[in-house]
């Protein structure tokens, strides 16, 4: 018998239909994947189950009984626990204090002892390693996630919902986590896994429900359906995955010579990076995460200075000491990996985010006056040209955009005037299939218009699909370069086997 | 020399108590994430309501202390409504509280005729048998009730903050309001409670100034002690026992001034008044250069930030 049933559940926000007549069921002992693009309504649907949103209509049954989940505390009583994408942890508290807070005990000392005992039991059972004494703010993201999961388990949840748990984890951490979830399911828990990684679904899920545009499209057995089949159902149309090699590669525009760099804590991360970017060419940097990619991106963006080496911009000399504004003037634009920190100012409006780079150069008024009218008009044009969805008004806060649409806004701004160099760091991370292919198309268009594009990505498929030349980065160096199309095995070997 | 020393040390608790109580009250309030800079206003309200209560009741200094704490707690409702419910900038609301406190107390004192009226106030309470001991007697056992209660009050507040679920929730509200909210803790309710409980302690500190020390009301009689208490809280990194130690230190400095002057040494008063702030600056510089884990989380993480639930509800 299903432990959870949703029938024709709908929810809209200010007229935007996030969930439309969605139906879903969950049986104990299964790991049920909820698959779909960004904005397909997966998280919204599960937030309804967790009591964060109230549905506009529809029926929810838990263990065969109709329920109204008016708030997280009721969800908790019904045995529903959700691990959100943004962790709800008090950073100054240690793991036990956090779990005690969530458990709502009324005796401190005995509560603490009980929670600690329960946490240790769960940890042992699942092979979790969590430091219970340190403030959780000082723990790694993976450990914080474990604390969140322990919180749900200590509360005795029988329905466990994980919202894109692997987005912040390395592949091996993600695999370990999903194995733990399999163990939990084997013990009788019902686990919902929200994801857009097909590989995870294939490897770990018992059933998969696919959502598109707020509707539940189908529920299937992932083992019995092909990847192409599932993809088609997620996006509603086939994605074209053919390479588009550069047509005209021009002269070099930027030489990186022996760039060295260090993190703020003095840890050296770059040990002499040499590479050359050429007009009309897409240069891909492949590599396993943590080999200096973010530091290289920050040095190119101009938010960090290299400790040594030069950045020679052809025609402008060494720009390694130039600030981002000066670089922008030369036509060097960036699509940062961290959209929330470097890409957009979430509290500002979409219009302000779009025109901010143009105010200084006079496109939207002068030093003393901002021409809001032309700003709003340009933003509207860009929003429709780059298909940024979910914009009800250009005055709405940028933080209300979903990941893919926020990224489209960043790209629209950066490519507003034809750039000479585009630095894109993990531009499709966390985006759904459709947004990913649009982002990639824009980058290729910029390249074909004559820009030199540097793509830094940990996604080898993306690198192989997009690049005209590939540099493999390991331990702060470009260890080997390949002309595209490159051999996947050789690339992989260069990424892993190096001393 | 021994007399000088005993006399000085015996006076320290009386000077330290207002700092200690005010700092403790601010810690309680700020642990919930509400940046409270209006201690000066609270202390004036506490001081005047203490004097007023004695004059109206015709005595009963202990009752007057409690009334002063309650009145200040009610007065802080204005601050709580502004910062918690209306989400006004907490620095600006604090400044408003200081000036409102100053203006309101002067006005009421003049209108009611309480200005410069001497009152009986709080007397010394000699502990029988122990107060006659040499050296220790005058220092520890010839104090007034508030000084005797100082350590028990600190023990009680620290216990509640660190060893009870109420304290856990209060700290959670100040450190991670979103997490507290998700755990079903009412952020606003706890912030109201913390602001009012903290204000009661600061009001008690103010009432001790008028009832315990000066034994009369003078306009603006807190004389910057509320600001020193703020400095003490930062100095102590929101740690009650360290705040008590700081209060004893500054109380010691303050107690030293009249005694040093009495033996003929002239130390500028303003130099002495400056030292707490100097010490605070030094501690802040020190703290900013230390990257220690626990130290990094000493300040309530959501201090000064009004709480709004995530949008899209």
């Amino acid at each position: 018998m299903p432990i959870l049933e949703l029938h024709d559940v709908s929810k809209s926000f200010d007229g935007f239909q996030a969930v439309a007549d969605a139906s879903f069921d969950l049986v104990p002992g299964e790991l049920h994947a909820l698959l779909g693009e960004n904005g397909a309504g997966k998280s919204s649907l599960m937030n309804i189950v967790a009591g964060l949103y109230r549905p506009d209509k529809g029926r929810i049954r838990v263990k065969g009984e109709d329920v109204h989940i008016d708030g997280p505390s009721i969800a908790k009583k019904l045995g529903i626990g959700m691990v959100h994408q943004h962790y709800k942890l008090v950073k100054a508290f240690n793991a036990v204090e956090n779990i005690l807070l969530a458990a709502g005990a009324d005796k401190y000392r005995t509560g603490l002892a009980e929670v600690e005992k329960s946490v240790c039991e769960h940890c042992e059972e699942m092979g979790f390693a969590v430091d219970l004494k340190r403030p959780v703010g000082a723990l790694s993201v993976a450990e914080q996630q474990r604390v969140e999961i322990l919180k749900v388990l200590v509360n005795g949840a029988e329905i466990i919902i994980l919202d894109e748990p692997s987005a912040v984890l390395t592949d091996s951490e993600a695999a370990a986590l999903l194995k733990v979830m399999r163990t939990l399911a084997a013990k009788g828990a019902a686990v919902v896994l929200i994801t857009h990684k097909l590989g995870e679904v294939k490897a770990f899920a018992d059933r998969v429900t696919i959502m598109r545009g707020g509707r539940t499209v189908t529920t299937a057995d992932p083992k019995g359906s092909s990847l192409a089949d599932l993809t088609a159902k997620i996006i509603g149309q086939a994605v074209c995955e053919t390479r588009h090699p550069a047509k005209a590669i021009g002269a070099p525009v930027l030489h990186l010579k022996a760039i060295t760099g260090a993190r703020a804590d003095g840890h050296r991360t770059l040990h002499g990076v040499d590479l050359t970017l050429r007009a009309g060419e897409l240069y891909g940097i492949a590599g396993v995460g943590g080999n200096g990619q973010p530091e290289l991106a920050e040095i190119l963006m101009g938010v960090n200075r290299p400790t040594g080496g030069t950045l020679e911009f052809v025609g402008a000399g060494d720009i390694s000491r130039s600030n981002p504004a000066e670089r922008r003037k030369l036509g060097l634009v960036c699509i940062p990996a961290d959209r929330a920190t470097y890409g957009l100012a979430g509290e500002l409006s979409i219009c302000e985010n779009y025109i901010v780079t143009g105010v200084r150069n006079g496109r939207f008024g002068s030093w003393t006056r901002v021409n809001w009218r032309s700003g709003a008009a340009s933003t509207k044009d860009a929003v429709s040209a780059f298909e940024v969805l979910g914009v009800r008004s250009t005055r709405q806060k940028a933080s209300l955009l979903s990941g893919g649409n926020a990224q489209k806004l960043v790209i629209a701004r950066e490519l507003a005037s034809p750039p000479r160099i585009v630095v894109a760091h993990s531009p499709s991370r966390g985006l759904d299939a459709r947004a990913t292919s649009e982002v990639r198309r824009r980058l290729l268009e910029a390249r074909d218009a004559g820009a030199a594009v540097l793509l830094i990505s940990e996604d080898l498929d993306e690198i192989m699909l997009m690049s005209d030349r590939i540099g493999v980065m390991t331990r702060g160096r470009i260890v080997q370069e390949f002309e595209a199309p490159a051999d996947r095995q050789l690339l992989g070997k260069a990424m892993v086997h190096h001393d | 020399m021994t007399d000088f020393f005993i006399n000085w040390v015996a006076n320290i608790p009386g000077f330290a108590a207002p700092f200690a109580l005010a700092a403790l009250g601010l810690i309680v309030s700020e642990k919930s994430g509400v940046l409270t800079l209006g201690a000066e206003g609270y202390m004036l309200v506490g001081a005047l309501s203490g004097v007023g209560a004695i004059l109206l009741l015709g005595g009963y200094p202990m009752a007057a202390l409690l009334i002063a704490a309650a009145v200040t707690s009610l007065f802080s409702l204005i601050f709580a409504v502004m910062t918690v419910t209306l989400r006004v900038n907490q620095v600006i609301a604090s400044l408003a509280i200081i000036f409102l406190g100053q203006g309101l107390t002067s006005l009421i004192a003049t209108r009611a005729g309480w200005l410069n009226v001497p009152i009986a106030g709080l007397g010394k309470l000699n502990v029988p048998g122990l107060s006659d001991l040499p050296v220790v007697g005058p220092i520890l056992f010839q104090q007034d009730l508030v000084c005797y209660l100082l350590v028990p009050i600190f023990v009680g507040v620290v216990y509640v903050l660190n060893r009870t679920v109420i304290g856990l929730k209060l700290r959670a509200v100040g450190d991670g309001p979103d997490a507290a909210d998700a755990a079903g803790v009412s952020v606003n309710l706890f912030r109201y409670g913390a602001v009012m409980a903290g204000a009661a302690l600061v009001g008690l500190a103010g009432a001790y100034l008028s009832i315990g020390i000066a034994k009369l009301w003078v306009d603006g009689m807190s004389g910057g002690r509320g600001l020193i208490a703020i400095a003490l809280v930062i100095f102590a990194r929101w740690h009650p026992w360290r705040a008590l130690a700081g209060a004893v230190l500054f109380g010691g400095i303050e107690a030293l001034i009249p005694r040093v002057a009495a033996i003929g040494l002239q130390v500028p008063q303003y130099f002495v008044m400056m030292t707490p702030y100097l010490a605070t600056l030094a501690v802040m510089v020190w703290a900013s250069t230390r990257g220690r884990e626990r130290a990094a989380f000493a300040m309530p993480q959501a201090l000064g930030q009004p709480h709004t639930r995530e949008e899209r509800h």
Side-chain angles (χ1 to χ4, degrees):
Chain A
M1 191 184 79
I3 188 165
L4 172 73
E5 296 163 81
L6 305 176
H7 296 289
D8 301 325
V9 172
S10 297
K11 172 74 185 172
S12 56
F13 300 103
D14 302 335
F16 170 70
Q17 191 81 28
V19 179
D21 297 325
S23 297
F24 180 84
D25 73 283
L26 185 67
V27 295
E30 75 167 340
L31 201 161
H32 194 143
L34 193 54
L35 197 61
E37 295 186 306
N38 292 311
K42 311 175 297 272
S43 298
S44 298
L45 184 65
M46 285 303 129
N47 278 332
I48 289 172
V49 174
L52 286 180
Y53 302 155
R54 281 168 194 77
D56 300 335
K57 71 176 196 64
R59 249 172 83 195
I60 304 174
R61 288 160 75 89
V62 173
K63 293 178 189 162
E65 280 176 37
D66 280 299
V67 289
H68 292 279
I69 308 177
D70 290 332
S73 53
I74 296 183
K76 197 156 80 181
K77 277 193 202 112
L78 292 168
I80 300 166
M82 181 160 174
V83 176
H84 296 271
Q85 261 181 298
H86 302 286
Y87 305 146
K88 312 257 187 203
L89 294 171
V90 181
K91 293 223 161 77
F93 286 9
N94 65 31
V96 180
E97 287 170 324
N98 263 296
I99 294 166
L100 179 67
L101 178 73
D106 39 318
K107 290 262 190 327
Y108 185 79
R109 198 186 297 267
T110 52
L112 214 54
E114 274 167 27
V115 163
E116 192 159 355
K117 185 162 156 268
S118 170
V119 165
C120 289
E121 280 170 14
H122 282 292
C123 279
E124 210 162 299
E125 214 172 289
M126 296 181 299
F128 261 11
V130 180
D131 190 329
L132 300 178
K133 296 290 170 230
R134 285 169 72 192
V136 296
L139 301 179
S140 73
V141 177
E143 283 179 294
Q144 293 187 17
Q145 188 178 55
R146 281 178 222 149
V147 176
E148 279 282 10
I149 292 169
L150 286 168
K151 201 158 102 177
V152 166
L153 293 177
V154 170
N155 281 338
E158 296 163 84
I159 300 170
I160 299 159
I161 305 165
L162 303 168
D163 195 353
E164 299 199 19
S166 56
V168 291
L169 303 180
T170 64
D171 288 351
S172 59
E173 284 171 336
L177 171 73
L178 290 168
K179 270 190 206 121
V180 168
M181 290 302 134
R182 278 246 57 99
T183 327
L184 282 176
K187 291 202 173 108
V191 183
V192 180
L193 172 71
I194 301 177
T195 183
H196 46 233
K197 289 188 181 158
L198 281 167
E200 285 178 356
V201 174
K202 281 286 253 182
F204 293 100
D206 299 307
R207 280 199 297 165
V208 55
T209 293
I210 294 173
M211 288 190 79
R212 187 170 76 230
R215 289 169 195 283
T216 41
V217 180
T218 183
T219 299
D221 173 8
K223 282 156 191 105
S225 0
S226 71
L227 276 175
D229 225 28
L230 292 173
T231 317
K233 283 193 177 116
I234 294 167
I235 60 168
Q237 66 191 48
V239 192
C240 186
E241 292 260 334
T242 45
R243 273 179 41 79
H244 300 277
K247 292 179 194 84
I249 297 178
V253 282
L254 185 72
H255 299 284
L256 276 70
K257 289 187 181 161
I259 291 289
T260 56
R263 283 204 293 252
D265 58 10
H267 178 71
R268 277 173 57 110
T269 48
L270 297 175
H271 303 273
V273 175
D274 293 284
L275 62 90
T276 297
L277 301 181
R278 295 181 292 191
E281 183 191 47
L282 195 147
Y283 188 104
I285 292 186
V288 182
N291 276 296
Q293 295 97 323
E295 289 79 13
L296 180 65
E298 288 186 353
I299 282 172
L300 286 167
M301 284 160 66
V303 295
N304 252 329
R305 303 261 181 274
T307 50
T310 55
L311 283 175
E312 277 181 36
F313 195 107
V314 173
D318 182 14
I319 59 163
S320 62
R321 307 275 141 191
S322 315
N323 64 33
E326 289 158 357
R327 292 175 196 221
R328 197 173 279 281
K329 228 176 250 172
L330 291 170
L332 191 163
V333 301
C334 298
I335 299 161
D338 190 347
R339 291 183 279 270
T341 308
Y342 290 130
L344 295 170
E347 291 298 305
L348 297 186
S349 73
I350 289 172
C351 177
E352 285 165 323
N353 269 294
Y354 181 72
I355 69 170
V356 65
T357 57
V359 171
R360 287 277 293 274
N361 63 26
R363 268 182 66 208
F364 305 109
S366 64
W367 273 96
T368 49
R369 208 184 120 268
V370 176
N371 186 343
W372 290 109
R373 190 173 305 191
S374 87
S378 300
T379 308
K380 260 186 206 137
D381 291 346
V383 160
S384 66
F386 283 79
E387 291 158 33
V388 184
L389 304 179
V391 179
R392 291 187 290 275
S393 146
T394 56
R395 281 196 225 153
Q396 119 197 9
K397 269 200 226 168
S399 60
L400 294 179
L401 291 173
S402 72
N405 290 312
Q407 186 70 311
K408 286 186 206 165
L409 180 65
V410 171
I411 291 174
R413 180 184 68 205
E414 297 302 313
L415 303 184
S417 47
R420 287 190 64 197
I421 301 176
V422 181
V423 176
H425 185 194
S426 298
S428 60
R429 183 192 288 172
L431 303 192
D432 59 53
R434 189 199 305 266
T436 299
S437 77
E438 277 174 35
V439 164
R440 289 176 182 168
R441 183 166 58 86
R442 298 291 177 189
L443 288 176
L444 292 177
E445 278 173 12
R447 178 200 68 184
D448 292 339
V453 181
L454 179 70
L455 172 68
I456 305 173
S457 176
E458 287 161 32
D459 181 349
L460 189 55
D461 293 319
E462 178 169 67
I463 292 285
M464 293 192 55
L465 179 71
M466 303 271 293
S467 310
D468 302 308
R469 209 146 45 98
I470 299 168
V472 173
M473 191 160 176
T474 306
R475 299 197 192 150
R477 274 195 198 91
I478 301 289
V479 290
Q480 206 172 347
E481 276 190 2
F482 295 85
E483 290 295 329
D487 183 88
R488 197 188 170 92
Q489 299 303 320
L490 289 178
L491 269 176
K493 225 173 144 188
M495 281 161 61
V496 185
H497 300 281
H498 185 75
D499 43 22
Chain B
M1 195 62 209
T2 323
D3 278 351
F4 170 83
F5 180 77
I6 292 173
N7 203 333
W8 171 49
V9 176
N11 270 293
I12 290 178
F15 281 102
F19 291 136
L21 288 171
L24 186 66
L26 292 181
I27 289 173
V28 169
S29 183
E30 297 201 342
K31 277 279 179 189
S32 78
V34 181
L35 182 65
T36 315
L37 306 177
E40 192 73 7
Y42 289 168
M43 284 181 97
L44 288 172
V45 170
L48 180 71
S49 42
V51 169
I54 285 187
L55 289 173
L56 293 177
L57 296 174
Y60 306 108
M62 283 313 295
L65 284 172
L66 293 178
I67 291 171
V71 170
T72 314
S73 191
L74 283 177
F75 177 69
S76 73
L77 257 180
I78 302 172
F79 183 65
V81 169
M82 281 201 286
T83 54
V84 180
T85 305
L86 303 177
R87 303 192 192 96
V88 174
N89 181 307
Q90 296 172 8
V91 176
I92 293 168
S94 290
L95 294 180
I97 285 295
I98 294 179
F99 294 114
L100 180 65
Q102 286 176 346
L104 200 63
T105 50
S106 302
L107 178 75
I108 293 175
T110 323
R111 283 283 167 183
W114 293 342
L115 189 66
N116 289 325
V117 181
I119 51 171
L122 201 62
K124 296 278 180 203
L125 210 67
N126 291 350
V127 180
L130 296 175
S131 59
D132 298 330
L133 290 174
V135 187
V136 184
I139 293 175
L140 288 180
F141 302 108
Q142 293 179 18
Q143 303 291 347
D144 55 43
L145 197 66
V146 171
C147 292
Y148 292 133
L149 285 178
L150 207 51
V151 170
I153 289 175
F154 266 74
V155 169
V157 171
V158 170
Y159 180 83
V160 171
L161 276 180
N162 292 336
R163 294 278 175 268
T164 64
V165 171
I166 289 176
L168 182 80
K169 288 178 177 175
L170 189 142
R171 286 182 290 132
V173 161
D175 267 315
D178 288 331
D181 195 19
V185 178
S186 167
V187 175
N188 286 5
L189 187 73
F190 268 85
R191 287 193 170 171
Y192 265 90
V195 166
M196 292 180 70
L201 285 168
V202 183
L204 189 62
Y208 181 69
L209 282 179
S210 64
I211 300 176
I213 297 177
K215 300 190 168 60
L216 66 103
W217 163 263
V218 187
D219 284 353
M221 67 179 295
S222 55
R225 285 183 184 80
L227 299 176
I228 293 181
I230 295 167
L232 263 174
V233 171
I234 303 168
F235 171 88
R237 310 297 297 155
W238 290 267
H239 196 287
W241 292 117
R242 264 182 256 157
L244 181 61
V248 170
L249 181 70
F250 293 150
I253 295 169
E254 229 191 334
L256 198 58
I257 309 171
R259 260 140 276 287
V260 168
I263 58 169
L265 269 172
Q266 277 302 322
V267 179
Q269 181 201 358
Y270 295 107
F271 176 80
V272 180
M273 297 303 285
M274 183 187 76
T275 44
Y277 302 103
L278 205 62
T280 303
L281 278 179
V283 168
M284 288 177 84
V285 170
W286 173 80
S288 72
T289 56
R290 303 288 299 240
R292 284 188 321 181
E293 241 167 51
R294 284 278 172 189
F297 295 110
M299 184 174 103
Q301 302 286 296
L303 189 63
Q305 293 164 12
H307 176 65
T308 38
R309 280 196 174 171
E310 276 170 58
E311 283 173 55
R312 286 188 70 173
H313 265 251

